[in-house]
Amino acid sequence: MLVVREIVGRQDEPRFAERRVERLAVAWDEAPKRRLRRTTDAGTDVAVDLPRGSFLADGAVLDDDGRRVIVAGRTPEPALLIRFQAGAAPGRVAE
């Protein structure tokens, strides 16, 4: 099991360009959690134990062994999109 204690960078940084990428799926409600345990898409067992106040943003690099990086990947979530008509009078949105 790999234990991650810090975020080492962002996936789009040039120093990670040639690395093989393993994704660690993180849902929106798990992103602010500092501790969790998951398996990457390649089967690596990972325990995350980050300092308080850390946030698992999409693209956060959690480990770099020189050949591969483990990257937090936010899972797609359903969303509600509300559009307001331009120029409409303000009114009650919900009751």
Side-chain angles (χ1 to χ4, degrees):
M1 171 181 52
L2 173 67
V3 178
V4 173
R5 299 196 189 279
E6 67 179 339
I7 296 171
V8 297
R10 298 259 328 134
Q11 183 181 5
D12 56 3
E13 292 178 33
R15 63 185 169 143
F16 302 125
E18 300 300 317
R19 309 287 201 276
R20 181 173 52 86
V21 175
E22 289 187 31
R23 293 238 170 246
L24 187 73
V26 179
W28 72 271
D29 61 333
E30 298 171 324
K33 292 184 179 178
R34 59 188 222 70
R35 290 186 178 152
L36 63 104
R37 186 159 179 191
R38 291 278 180 285
T39 302
T40 68
D41 60 354
T44 304
D45 186 22
V46 179
V48 177
D49 184 16
L50 298 173
R52 291 188 195 282
S54 298
F55 185 82
L56 290 172
D58 189 58
V61 176
L62 305 176
D63 186 65
D64 175 17
D65 69 4
R67 294 183 312 273
R68 66 106 175 94
V69 289
I70 294 180
V71 177
R74 297 290 297 278
T75 55
E77 305 276 346
L80 178 63
L81 178 63
I82 300 173
R83 294 178 194 256
F84 294 96
Q85 185 176 9
R92 192 173 217 158
V93 175
E95 295 194 25

